[in-house]
Amino acid sequence: MAQPHSSAAAPIDLQLDKVSKRYWIPQDDAEAAPGWIGKLRHRFQGRKEFWAVKDLSFGVTRGQALGIIGHNGAGKSTILKLLSGITAPSLGEIRIQGRITALLEVGSGFHPELTGRENVFLSGSILGMRRKEIHAKLEQIIEFAEIRPFIDIPVKRYSSGMFVRLGFSIAAHLEPDILLLDEVLAVGDASFQKKCIDRVLQLKSLGMTIVFISHDLKAVEQLCERVVVLERGVMVHDGPTAESIRVYTSRGQFERTVREVKARRAEILGLTFLDEDRQAGTSYETGQAMHIQVRYRAHEAIPNASFHVHVVSSAVLWHCDIGTQGEPLQLEPGEGIVEFYCPQICMRPDVYSIDLTIEQFGCSDFVDVLESCSFLQIRKGLPQRGLYYHPHTWKLLEDGKSKQD
C-alpha cells in the first residue's frame, strides 16, 4: 500500500489514529424467537458485532484536498458521521485543528413557510455564521444561487432545483478551516454543478482544507490531489488521485448484487474487460480496442434472449448500450459466455459504471439485471472534443482531387 503523502512543513489539520467504529446488530434467530424468551435472548446473546471501519490511520495537511472513495458498504458514511461529530469512534482518536463544517444535505435546515431571504439567515445561523457575517455575504449568496426574483417568497413554492441551489450557496459561503463534503456537488443542472466545483476550487486555492467523500470519481479527480480507497471498512490504498482511482476500479471488476427478479431463469456470473492482447483490466484509452465478456448460467431453455452492457457516466447519464439486440439468442441450460468486440472506444475520458441485463423479446420483466456491478475507466487517448469520439479518417484534397492522386 502506498504511503500517505504529507508535507513535514505543513501542519496537520485532521488526524485519524487507529480509528474503528463498531455497531451491534441483532442476529436473525434472536429476532425470530417469540415472547419474553426472544427478548432475553436478544438482550444477552442475540447481537453480533459489526465493524463499519477498522483501524483507520491517516492525516490531512493544511490546505490539502483529500478524497475518500469506495464501493457501497466501504465505510464512507461512517467516516462522515465520525468527522462531523454525529457519532464517536469505538476505538482510536480523531484530532481536529480548527473549525470544521460539514456540507452534507443542502437545505436541510430550511423552514418551508419562511422566504428564501429569511432562510438564508436561519440556515446560516445553524451552520455557524454570525448575523453580521450573513448580512455582509447576503448579496453574494443570492447572486450565486441565481434566484434573485424569488428570494422573497416562501421556499415551499421553490422548485427542487431552486431549493438546493440556495442551500448550497449558503453553505459555500462559509469560511471554516476544514470543509467536509459529501455528494452535494451534484446539485442543480450541469452549469450549476460546474459553478459549485469552481467555488470549491476557489476555497481550496485560499488554503482551506477539504475532505471530499463521493462516488463521483470525475469530481474527485478535479478537486483532490490525494485519495484514500476504502474496502469493507479497511483502507486499502492511500496515494495520488490517478493512482488511487486505478486501484479502486481494478478492485471492483465485478460484484454481483441481489436484485428482485420475478423468475430468475438465468443469471449473470461475471464480467471481464480484455484488451487486444486478451489481457484483463478496467482501464482503457479513447480509440483503443476492447473485448467485453459476460459469463452466464441458464437454468432452463430461453428463446429470443438478448444480453446488454449499459454504460453509465459519472454524471449518472446512460451513455450507451452494447448489446445483442436484433440477433436473438436461443439459450440452452448450462453456462456460457457472450463476448462483445469494440474496435474503437468512443467514450470520452471518465469513470463509467456498468449495468448488465439479460432480456427476452416479448417479455416485460428482465431475466436478470445487475446495477453498478463494475467500473470502467477511460483515459485520454485519441484527440476528442464534444460528448464522444467518432471514428473517422481524413485526407487532404488539392483542386478537388486527393493529394495522393
Side-chain angles (χ1 to χ4, degrees):
M1 180 174 70
Q3 295 299 315
H5 290 238
S6 61
S7 171
I12 296 178
D13 276 351
L14 189 65
Q15 179 71 53
L16 277 73
D17 186 10
K18 297 183 178 179
V19 170
S20 300
K21 181 62 182 179
R22 176 180 56 192
Y23 291 100
W24 292 99
I25 57 177
Q27 295 186 32
D28 293 338
D29 58 347
E31 285 291 291
W36 63 271
I37 296 177
K39 291 180 180 179
L40 285 176
R41 188 182 299 174
H42 177 267
R43 180 174 180 180
F44 294 106
Q45 65 180 31
R47 300 187 304 164
K48 59 182 178 181
E49 63 180 15
F50 169 73
W51 293 94
V53 294
K54 185 73 172 178
D55 202 28
L56 292 182
S57 296
F58 61 85
V60 187
T61 57
R62 184 162 301 168
Q64 187 177 56
L66 174 74
I68 300 178
I69 60 177
H71 299 291
N72 292 330
K76 301 188 300 300
S77 297
T78 302
I79 291 182
L80 277 174
K81 294 175 183 177
L82 291 169
L83 294 180
S84 57
I86 295 174
T87 188
S90 303
L91 297 172
E93 183 182 12
I94 299 175
R95 295 186 293 274
I96 298 172
Q97 298 293 329
R99 186 178 68 157
I100 186 169
T101 293
L103 180 48
L104 307 178
E105 295 184 15
V106 294
S108 57
F110 282 4
H111 192 294
E113 299 296 336
L114 299 181
T115 66
R117 188 186 303 273
E118 291 166 337
N119 271 296
V120 170
F121 284 91
L122 174 63
S123 182
S125 300
I126 293 173
L127 291 171
M129 298 172 71
R130 299 177 182 274
R131 189 172 182 84
K132 184 178 180 181
E133 183 183 1
I134 299 173
H135 267 294
K137 296 180 177 178
L138 180 60
E139 290 302 311
Q140 299 175 41
I141 292 171
I142 296 172
E143 190 67 30
F144 188 93
E146 302 173 358
I147 58 166
R148 185 174 295 279
F150 313 100
I151 194 63
D152 290 311
I153 65 174
V155 298
K156 68 180 181 181
R157 298 193 177 97
Y158 282 11
S159 68
S160 58
M162 293 164 61
F163 195 88
V164 296
R165 289 205 306 270
L166 182 59
F168 183 89
S169 182
I170 296 168
H173 286 82
L174 296 169
E175 294 182 0
D177 302 301
I178 305 168
L179 182 62
L180 179 61
L181 294 171
D182 192 7
E183 304 283 0
V184 294
L185 296 183
V187 299
D189 55 22
S191 62
F192 192 78
Q193 288 178 24
K194 183 180 184 303
K195 194 174 183 178
C196 293
I197 291 175
D198 290 343
R199 174 60 181 170
V200 175
L201 288 172
Q202 182 185 14
L203 295 174
K204 178 183 173 183
S205 69
L206 296 174
M208 187 178 295
T209 303
I210 296 172
V211 178
F212 184 32
I213 301 175
S214 179
H215 284 288
D216 187 346
L217 300 186
K218 188 175 181 180
V220 169
E221 202 169 24
Q222 286 181 274
L223 294 177
C224 306
E225 62 266 20
R226 173 184 157 214
V227 171
V228 166
V229 183
L230 299 180
E231 189 172 287
R232 293 186 175 90
V234 178
M235 183 170 68
V236 296
H237 191 80
D238 181 358
T241 300
E243 178 184 300
S244 295
I245 289 178
R246 282 196 297 271
V247 170
Y248 172 64
T249 54
S250 66
R251 295 181 74 91
Q253 289 192 26
F254 179 78
E255 180 181 2
R256 177 162 186 102
T257 53
V258 177
R259 295 296 173 200
E260 291 297 328
V261 177
K262 288 186 178 180
R264 184 169 281 119
R265 295 171 291 149
E267 59 183 324
I268 298 167
L269 302 178
L271 171 69
T272 306
F273 298 102
L274 302 169
D275 62 18
E276 281 282 59
D277 297 323
R278 313 296 292 185
Q279 298 298 310
T282 56
S283 183
Y284 298 85
E285 294 181 355
T286 300
Q288 190 176 356
M290 176 179 64
H291 301 262
I292 305 173
Q293 291 186 344
V294 180
R295 188 162 56 90
Y296 69 92
R297 178 189 294 123
H299 301 293
E300 61 182 62
I302 303 176
N304 299 321
S306 62
F307 287 76
H308 298 267
V309 180
H310 305 284
V311 182
V312 183
S313 72
S314 60
V316 200
L317 297 174
W318 188 9
H319 188 86
C320 67
D321 172 30
I322 301 169
T324 62
Q325 59 266 42
E327 300 178 26
L329 303 176
Q330 313 304 316
L331 299 187
E332 299 297 333
E335 294 189 8
I337 295 176
V338 175
E339 179 171 300
F340 301 94
Y341 176 61
C342 304
Q344 284 189 304
I345 297 172
C346 299
M347 294 174 283
R348 66 182 302 169
D350 198 350
V351 177
Y352 298 86
S353 63
I354 304 298
D355 300 343
L356 298 176
T357 61
I358 303 177
E359 303 172 24
Q360 185 179 20
F361 181 76
C363 182
S364 59
D365 294 322
F366 291 112
V367 176
D368 195 16
V369 53
L370 299 179
E371 297 178 357
S372 299
C373 64
S374 185
F375 292 87
L376 178 64
Q377 181 185 25
I378 303 300
R379 308 185 310 274
K380 185 177 180 180
L382 293 177
Q384 173 267 331
R385 294 179 179 177
L387 296 178
Y388 63 94
Y389 167 77
H390 196 296
H392 61 279
T393 60
W394 68 275
K395 58 184 177 181
L396 181 63
L397 299 178
E398 292 182 357
D399 298 328
K401 296 182 179 181
S402 171
K403 188 176 181 180
Q404 288 86 353
D405 291 344

